[in-house]
Amino acid sequence: VNVQPAIEALLQQERVARLATVDHEGRPHVIPVVFAYERGTVYTPIDAKPKSVAPARLRRVRNIRSNPHVQVLLDHYEEEWAGLWFAQLRGRAELLSGGDRYDEGVRLLEGKYMQYVDLPLRPRPIIAIALQDVRFWSGEQLSAP
Amino acid sequence: VNVQPAIEALLQQERVARLATVDHEGRPHVIPVVFAYERGTVYTPIDAKPKSVAPARLRRVRNIRSNPHVQVLLDHYEEEWAGLWFAQLRGRAELLSGGDRYDEGVRLLEGKYMQYVDLPLRPRPIIAIALQDVRFWSGEQLSAP
């Protein structure tokens, strides 16, 4: 997919996104996620849960295994609605547990979030989302004449 | 569903939520939404689009018609991850175009968002989501010993 430079800039700057998946019964699931981006791929960890839950039992992981279609949402809210915007990124998710792409994702996440100094990502898996489609909407349309 | 008072307080205070639906091919769709809440029901408008798009053509409307299962996410991000939290609200969505419940939803939305003084909701439909399940997660668990 060709991700426009303006969208790539948002993907670099934004600190939180929302990840939507679908369970095996066709019901949606959505959570806030930290993420990193490079060359058409969004990386997101599966660490933000109590350590007592094994990664394979997390709902987003089970969902991705049965249905790899996901959507990532970046958005901005403010009370002046002309300033609203959102970007919907449709993609295909894959679980990575090791290898070059895993190392790359971990490197990007650790580079973006200093919090991982105290909360190591390894050896937990990460999710890699290959982007397939990007849509952008801006509230400026609301205030147009 | 029995929504705990602490969650009801969040539903009153928060200004933006994310709404996840599923399309007829089983792919997720997620958008930011404004919303109002009362007695187990979340109301959200379908106004925040260019006026040239008919409500029935909006993806979330088509999705809800083919699959009424939705999830509403409230969340908070900050760089101090012990302060993170989110609430996932699973529910059944229905489109309202008139009647007492439509009037109630419009009244609540207009009461919560002054922006609707200049951007009338009527006569566009609204979405009513009857909550079925609520889960709350807090990052305080991350900083526990």
Side-chain angles (χ1 to χ4, degrees), chain B residues 63-119:
Chain B
N63 290 359
I64 286 167
R65 283 188 169 144
S66 68
N67 180 346
H69 297 291
V70 304
Q71 195 168 68
V72 175
L73 176 73
L74 302 181
D75 71 71
H76 169 70
Y77 181 79
E78 61 180 70
E79 294 305 330
E80 178 53 64
W81 286 359
L84 302 181
W85 60 259
F86 65 86
Q88 288 176 311
L89 307 121
R90 201 177 277 284
R92 199 176 174 87
E94 183 187 358
L95 213 61
L96 303 178
S97 302
D100 288 350
R101 294 172 61 220
Y102 176 81
D103 291 343
E104 172 77 346
V106 168
R107 183 185 67 75
L108 290 167
L109 286 163
E110 287 177 348
K112 183 171 178 181
Y113 298 95
M114 281 192 27
Q115 291 88 340
Y116 285 122
V117 171
D118 299 320
L119 198 74

Side-chain angles (χ1 to χ4, degrees), chain B:
Chain B
V1 71
N2 181 34
V3 182
Q4 293 183 312
I7 303 289
E8 293 204 312
L10 288 177
L11 283 159
Q12 304 290 348
Q13 290 156 23
E14 292 294 306
R15 301 288 289 173
V16 63
R18 280 79 193 182
L19 172 66
T21 61
V22 178
D23 74 15
H24 69 286
E25 292 180 295
R27 290 175 309 192
H29 180 260
V30 52
I31 44 165
V33 292
V34 297
F35 69 99
Y37 171 80
E38 198 165 272
R39 290 193 303 272
T41 300
V42 170
Y43 299 91
T44 179
I46 55 172
D47 64 322
K49 282 279 183 175
K51 292 298 190 297
S52 57
V53 178
R57 287 191 51 230
L58 287 175
R59 194 178 294 256
R60 81 199 88 159
V61 172
R62 285 185 281 134
N63 290 359
I64 286 167
R65 283 188 169 144
S66 68
N67 180 346
H69 297 291
V70 304
Q71 195 168 68
V72 175
L73 176 73
L74 302 181
D75 71 71
H76 169 70
Y77 181 79
E78 61 180 70
E79 294 305 330
E80 178 53 64
W81 286 359
L84 302 181
W85 60 259
F86 65 86
Q88 288 176 311
L89 307 121
R90 201 177 277 284
R92 199 176 174 87
E94 183 187 358
L95 213 61
L96 303 178
S97 302
D100 288 350
R101 294 172 61 220
Y102 176 81
D103 291 343
E104 172 77 346
V106 168
R107 183 185 67 75
L108 290 167
L109 286 163
E110 287 177 348
K112 183 171 178 181
Y113 298 95
M114 281 192 27
Q115 291 88 340
Y116 285 122
V117 171
D118 299 320
L119 198 74
L121 281 164
R122 296 175 190 274
R124 294 169 72 86
I126 63 172
I127 296 168
I129 300 164
L131 299 184
Q132 298 172 315
D133 182 56
V134 177
R135 287 168 198 220
F136 185 79
W137 179 90
S138 156
E140 286 170 25
Q141 300 166 63
L142 287 178
S143 55

